[in-house]
Amino acid sequence: QAKLEESGGGSVQAGGSLRLSCKAPEVYFSDNCMMWFRQAPGAERERVATIRTVSGNTGYADSGKGRFTISQNNAEKTVYLRMTSLKPVDAAMYYCAVLETCATADPSRVRYWGQGIQVIVSS
């Protein structure tokens, strides 16, 4: 019954900040690629950030670059997404995900999904 446990969503005013958390079982956290995706109503699911759990190497989509930070806590087996200067366009359902490789952001290559957490940004 291993699963990804997401938390930290909520509603903020434009310009505010949120930190999303994704706690993963050890088997998911070991030498894998973890990503955060988001999907707004009527939009495609898109990757916003990537981290390779062993090396700590990170990458970002242009949408969040300079505002979003992905990080990890090895002891807690948790990946975080810190979002600052939030805009209404950032409002979406956010999903953490485990993939075998960081070479693709294709949602069809995701092995495991978090349950999704809502982020609402009010103008």
Side-chain angles (χ1 to χ4, degrees), residues 13-16 38 63 67 84-91 120-122:
Q13 296 269 40
R38 70 184 185 188
S63 59
R67 300 186 298 120
T84 62
S85 301
L86 283 163
K87 307 171 182 179
V89 72
D90 297 316
I120 300 170
V121 184
S122 301

Side-chain angles (χ1 to χ4, degrees), residues 57-77:
N57 290 349
T58 61
Y60 300 92
D62 289 342
S63 59
K65 193 172 296 182
R67 300 186 298 120
F68 294 2
T69 303
I70 188 170
S71 61
Q72 63 185 14
N73 183 309
N74 291 327
E76 296 291 332
K77 301 296 186 287

